[in-house]
Amino acid sequence: MAERTLLLDKLRNIGIMAHIDAGKTTTTERILFYSGKKHAIGNVDEGNTTTDWMVQEKERGITITSASISFDWEGYRVNLIDTPGHVDFTVEVERALRVLDGAVAVFDAAAGVEPQSETVWRQANKYDVPRIAFMNKMDKMGADFDMSVKSMVDKLGANPIALQYPIGVENEFEGVIDLIRMKAVKWDDDLGLEIKYAEIPDSLSEKAEELKDELITQLANIDDEILQMYLDGEEIPMDKVKSVIRKGTIESKFVPVFCGSAFKNKGVQPLIDAIVDYLPSPLDMPPIKGKTVDGDKVERHSSPNDPFCALAFKIMSDPYVGKLTYFRVYSGKLNKGSYVYNSSRNIKERVSRLMFMFADKRQDVDYVAAGDIVAGIGMRSTTTGDTLSSEDNPVILESIEFPEPVISIAVEPETRNEESKLDAALTRLMDEDPTFRVSTDKESGETILSGMGELHLEIIIDRLKREFNVQTRVGQPQVAYRETITVPVDTEGKYIRQSGGRGQYGHVRIRFEPLERGKGIVFENKVVGGSVPKEYISAVGAGVKEALMIGMLGGYPVVDVKATLYDGSYHEVDSSEMAFKIAASMAVKEALSKGKSRLMEPIMEIEITTPEEYMGDVVADLNSKRAQILGFDTRGNARVIKAYAPLGRLFGYATILRSLSQGRSIYMMKFSHYAEVPQDFADKVLNR
């Protein structure tokens, strides 16, 4: 097993993450080219990149689904996942970061930290993923390395340390200063294959010395040996510097920062060096924690000697091989054709084939082991977030949490003959995407599709047409409204039914109180003296939560309510779980009628970047949409407007913004919170 340990030490599982249009896919293309995995460079504008392989990605020039690829570099194997930058597809970033060991955060050097940069950074914080940063587009008008690094401090709370500094900016960007070697690095040819080291230009020597001193000071804070050498004025060996940078990066003490222009083929090879030099191998990461089926805590180490343990993080429907299950192997070994135990669902699954993926292409392998990120065929019941393990040593890992959908549309097939095709297609799409939901409106019988935004649902409809050959008619987008109570209320629910033989008896007293926004539904038992027997408490809780799924204003789910069961009574013969469940639902109805229920709407956080001359028109339009302006900022030669706005007023906003600014403004929005709807608008929604 020594050979496998060596392989683990030489393995890197990383992701590339950023705001939309920061250059993730372009950077990935260059990485594949310089590593020899591709013999020609693809470009997003030409629709021939490796990781943007879907038709919808090629047409729109954006990444929609995360793509897994592998390449070799200087004796290392790197598994890389290129993730989307658009907020509608944030689920792809979430599940990728859950199974990765490190990440490269790409920033537009003219914009610094942008809204989705913050979102993906918080996701990486959530999973304690070590990062390095790449300030891309140093050749772009308005590029500013110092501003971009400072924005990491101001907006992300990060501790960046520059390991490079640009030589020139915008049209004059020539190369970078390597602050470890203290050499200038330039690329002489158009393809960026010829790297030349030279002396640092005199005009930048003072800045380079200043940054090198800052770097050594940071390293001295975490390594006593470097501190002593620094105090003694000794020259610190480059190997020692790099080893301490690696240690600090893996422990998330700081974030090494690099720079370049992926599109101009400058700065990418040092970035690949940094991936293998500073980001962790599976052996550098702590053991994965899980629980046994009995709830006991257990750990699995990154070793083929430990029992098999893996997490399924992505499902895809492949037109040629069927359902693909992507999973990260944390420990042990799995052979193709063998059985694996899905401990999350208590079932056995047969893995007929195992494959390493290269975007939409695949390579069959006989076995996989600790550290591998692979895809398997044959696991029919496994879904995103399920744990796969050996049946002899089952373990359940922490699953993946996904945000709730905020926008819905109604859809129906153009002909009755396509109903079954539509149902089958929607089921497969739900398997792939945990943020995509399908439901049926009980009153109208319509099929309702719910997702994270207009673009998300637009892509779903497009895939139904192209991949599944289902023609549909689509209704207007619908907002996922909620309801809540605004005042505390004490209620009583009593269900008594007498008939021949045994009757039904359930009686509860429940106090309902409004909670802070985002707290959901809380049920608490404060019964004393056994007025409601313990065996019926869970039935009361279930009855409360089930009844709160349908509010009294418009039938929308009720949120942010605490229900406290404090009294009741029972009958020794006639009481049952069902009777108490019905009594609880009766108490809910009383609470909703007396608790001054109000309608809630999803509020989006929106950031608009616009030229100065269109500021007035954009702000005036936002005010007409009941937006709350949060503030203004300057980014390069553009102005940035931050605001909260109700989702219901933002449908089609991309078209409106383009017309207001002659196509020169851009925006990004994400769900922020639910807030009460003003009464006059609530009356319109409820058709009063």
Side-chain angles (χ1 to χ4, degrees):
M1 290 300 177
E3 184 183 357
R4 193 68 194 183
T5 304
L6 177 65
L7 184 61
L8 276 173
D9 186 47
K10 298 288 185 180
L11 183 63
R12 301 289 183 269
N13 290 317
I14 67 153
I16 292 194
M17 62 184 199
H19 183 92
I20 191 170
D21 204 32
K24 296 179 307 301
T25 302
T26 300
T27 302
T28 303
E29 276 296 307
R30 272 53 179 182
I31 288 174
L32 295 176
F33 175 70
Y34 295 125
S35 66
K37 195 74 178 184
K38 287 189 70 175
H39 300 296
I41 297 175
N43 284 311
V44 172
D45 292 342
E46 295 172 15
N48 60 355
T49 60
T50 299
T51 52
D52 284 355
W53 56 271
M54 292 175 64
V55 175
Q56 293 83 359
E57 292 175 317
K58 294 177 186 292
E59 289 180 347
R60 291 168 172 80
I62 62 171
T63 303
I64 293 170
T65 182
S66 56
S68 177
I69 57 175
S70 299
F71 64 90
D72 296 318
W73 184 260
E74 305 292 340
Y76 289 81
R77 164 56 62 95
V78 181
N79 294 323
L80 182 149
I81 296 181
D82 178 21
T83 64
H86 196 287
V87 67
D88 281 17
F89 309 106
T90 189
V91 60
E92 296 287 340
V93 186
E94 183 82 17
R95 56 184 171 192
L97 288 172
R98 172 67 176 82
V99 299
L100 292 171
D101 299 326
V104 178
V106 179
F107 299 93
D108 181 332
V113 174
E114 298 175 90
Q116 188 65 1
S117 310
E118 296 182 61
T119 301
V120 297
W121 196 268
R122 285 194 297 267
Q123 288 173 301
N125 286 340
K126 177 180 175 181
Y127 296 116
D128 296 322
V129 177
R131 278 145 276 178
I132 60 177
F134 181 58
M135 297 302 170
N136 191 27
K137 302 191 177 185
M138 287 305 309
D139 61 314
K140 183 179 176 182
M141 181 72 72
D144 187 332
F145 181 82
D146 293 322
M147 176 278 293
S148 296
V149 173
K150 187 175 184 298
S151 71
M152 291 180 65
V153 179
D154 297 340
K155 296 183 178 181
L156 303 177
N159 180 23
I161 59 167
L163 298 191
Q164 291 179 347
Y165 194 77
I167 301 173
V169 292
E170 300 180 348
N171 290 334
E172 297 178 0
F173 176 64
E174 298 178 24
V176 302
I177 296 172
D178 184 331
L179 294 169
I180 298 178
R181 290 185 173 88
M182 289 302 280
K183 292 285 185 181
V185 187
K186 297 185 178 181
W187 288 262
D188 282 350
D189 63 316
D190 290 341
L191 286 177
L193 292 168
E194 297 176 18
I195 303 174
K196 184 176 73 175
Y197 290 90
E199 295 304 313
I200 297 171
D202 292 340
S203 60
L204 290 172
S205 59
E206 187 177 335
K207 179 68 175 180
E209 289 291 346
E210 176 190 325
L211 290 172
K212 179 64 178 280
D213 198 55
E214 288 179 12
L215 168 61
I216 298 301
T217 301
Q218 288 261 25
L219 301 184
N221 288 333
I222 64 171
D223 187 87
D224 292 340
E225 190 177 346
I226 283 188
L227 175 61
Q228 192 60 51
M229 296 173 77
Y230 177 65
L231 294 174
D232 293 342
E234 296 179 25
E235 184 72 24
I236 303 170
M238 188 169 69
D239 288 348
K240 178 64 177 176
V241 171
K242 292 176 72 172
S243 69
V244 178
I245 293 173
R246 177 176 176 78
K247 178 177 183 289
T249 305
I250 291 172
E251 294 176 356
S252 297
K253 296 286 179 60
F254 46 66
V255 180
V257 182
F258 301 83
C259 60
S261 169
F263 185 70
K264 292 294 179 66
N265 306 317
K266 295 177 181 178
V268 178
Q269 295 98 323
L271 179 65
I272 311 175
D273 288 334
I275 288 170
V276 300
D277 286 343
Y278 306 128
L279 290 178
S281 77
L283 295 177
D284 295 313
M285 302 303 290
I288 190 74
K289 292 178 171 60
K291 292 183 178 180
T292 65
V293 289
D294 296 325
D296 298 327
K297 293 181 180 179
V298 67
E299 291 183 348
R300 291 283 188 267
H301 296 82
S302 290
S303 166
N305 298 322
D306 265 28
F308 178 75
C309 167
L311 184 74
F313 67 94
K314 183 180 174 76
I315 306 295
M316 279 198 68
S317 296
D318 188 286
Y320 302 106
V321 297
K323 181 178 176 181
L324 279 172
T325 303
Y326 286 74
F327 58 95
R328 159 72 188 267
V329 183
Y330 285 102
S331 63
K333 184 177 174 181
L334 179 69
N335 296 312
K336 73 173 183 180
S338 60
Y339 283 88
V340 68
Y341 182 65
N342 184 326
S343 44
S344 301
R345 301 182 180 277
N346 193 26
I347 56 173
K348 284 176 69 174
E349 297 260 54
R350 185 175 183 272
V351 186
S352 57
R353 290 172 64 187
L354 291 167
M355 298 170 292
F356 288 128
M357 299 300 294
F358 186 69
D360 59 334
K361 299 177 178 62
R362 57 192 74 83
Q363 173 193 344
D364 280 87
V365 291
D366 293 331
Y367 77 97
V368 294
D372 288 335
I373 293 179
V374 297
I377 297 175
M379 291 174 276
R380 297 182 178 180
S381 301
T382 297
T383 61
T384 302
D386 285 357
T387 302
L388 307 173
S389 64
S390 62
E391 192 171 11
D392 296 338
N393 288 280
V395 61
I396 300 176
L397 303 177
E398 182 183 352
S399 190
I400 309 173
E401 294 180 3
F402 299 110
E404 290 294 315
V406 295
I407 182 173
S408 301
I409 56 174
V411 65
E412 63 179 12
E414 287 196 346
T415 65
R416 284 189 174 275
N417 295 335
E418 292 191 300
E419 282 185 4
S420 59
K421 282 175 63 177
L422 176 63
D423 290 343
L426 292 176
T427 299
R428 286 174 65 179
L429 290 171
M430 275 198 297
D431 281 345
E432 290 186 16
D433 186 350
T435 59
F436 171 57
R437 309 281 173 82
V438 180
S439 59
T440 303
D441 187 298
K442 293 181 180 177
E443 294 183 7
S444 66
E446 290 179 313
T447 299
I448 307 297
L449 312 186
S450 303
M452 301 304 296
E454 284 184 282
L455 180 60
H456 186 195
L457 294 179
E458 182 185 318
I459 297 295
I460 292 288
I461 296 299
D462 195 46
R463 291 187 64 191
L464 285 173
K465 177 182 176 181
R466 297 198 199 205
E467 291 178 36
F468 301 97
N469 197 28
V470 178
Q471 304 297 323
T472 58
R473 286 189 291 266
V474 179
Q476 287 295 311
Q478 299 295 316
V479 179
Y481 289 105
R482 298 288 185 265
E483 299 180 22
T484 193
I485 61 171
T486 56
V487 297
V489 57
D490 277 22
T491 65
E492 181 179 26
K494 184 178 285 188
Y495 178 67
I496 303 173
R497 174 166 293 181
Q498 298 294 337
S499 59
R502 182 174 175 175
Q504 294 285 347
Y505 185 95
H507 175 217
V508 294
R509 295 182 185 274
I510 304 175
R511 181 177 300 110
F512 291 87
E513 305 164 76
L515 290 176
E516 292 178 32
R517 297 294 165 257
K519 293 296 184 181
I521 302 297
V522 176
F523 175 75
E524 186 175 351
N525 171 35
K526 283 198 173 179
V527 170
V528 293
S531 56
V532 177
K534 288 183 179 179
E535 60 264 30
Y536 300 135
I537 300 296
S538 61
V540 175
V544 167
K545 291 178 180 178
E546 191 174 300
L548 288 174
M549 290 299 294
I550 303 175
M552 65 167 292
L553 296 177
Y556 301 107
V558 180
V559 296
D560 303 334
V561 171
K562 180 179 180 181
T564 305
L565 173 65
Y566 65 91
D567 200 6
S569 63
Y570 71 101
H571 189 283
E572 289 188 0
V573 176
D574 292 347
S575 285
S576 66
E577 287 190 1
M578 181 57 68
F580 273 96
K581 192 174 182 181
I582 295 172
S585 67
M586 294 168 68
V588 168
K589 288 179 182 177
E590 183 183 345
L592 296 179
S593 63
K594 293 181 177 179
K596 297 183 179 178
S597 290
R598 294 295 299 270
L599 194 66
M600 310 279 286
E601 64 183 343
I603 302 296
M604 311 302 286
E605 182 181 335
I606 185 169
E607 182 173 299
I608 303 161
T609 304
T610 181
E612 178 83 38
E613 58 262 40
Y614 304 113
M615 273 274 291
D617 290 340
V618 173
V619 170
D621 181 67
L622 283 174
N623 288 331
S624 74
K625 299 182 186 308
R626 293 193 288 118
Q628 175 191 351
I629 307 295
L630 302 176
F632 304 94
D633 201 355
T634 301
R635 186 175 292 158
N637 56 359
R639 296 301 303 276
V640 178
I641 307 163
K642 296 183 179 181
Y644 286 143
L647 174 64
R649 303 304 301 276
L650 293 174
F651 293 139
Y653 188 64
T655 303
I656 294 170
L657 187 61
R658 279 196 294 268
S659 66
L660 288 173
S661 63
Q662 297 182 14
R664 294 177 61 194
S665 300
I666 59 171
Y667 80 102
M668 173 66 70
M669 71 175 179
K670 62 183 178 181
F671 172 73
S672 175
H673 60 281
Y674 272 90
E676 288 185 22
V677 181
Q679 193 58 53
D680 53 339
F681 285 97
D683 290 341
K684 291 179 183 177
V685 172
L686 300 169
N687 295 318
R688 289 176 175 168

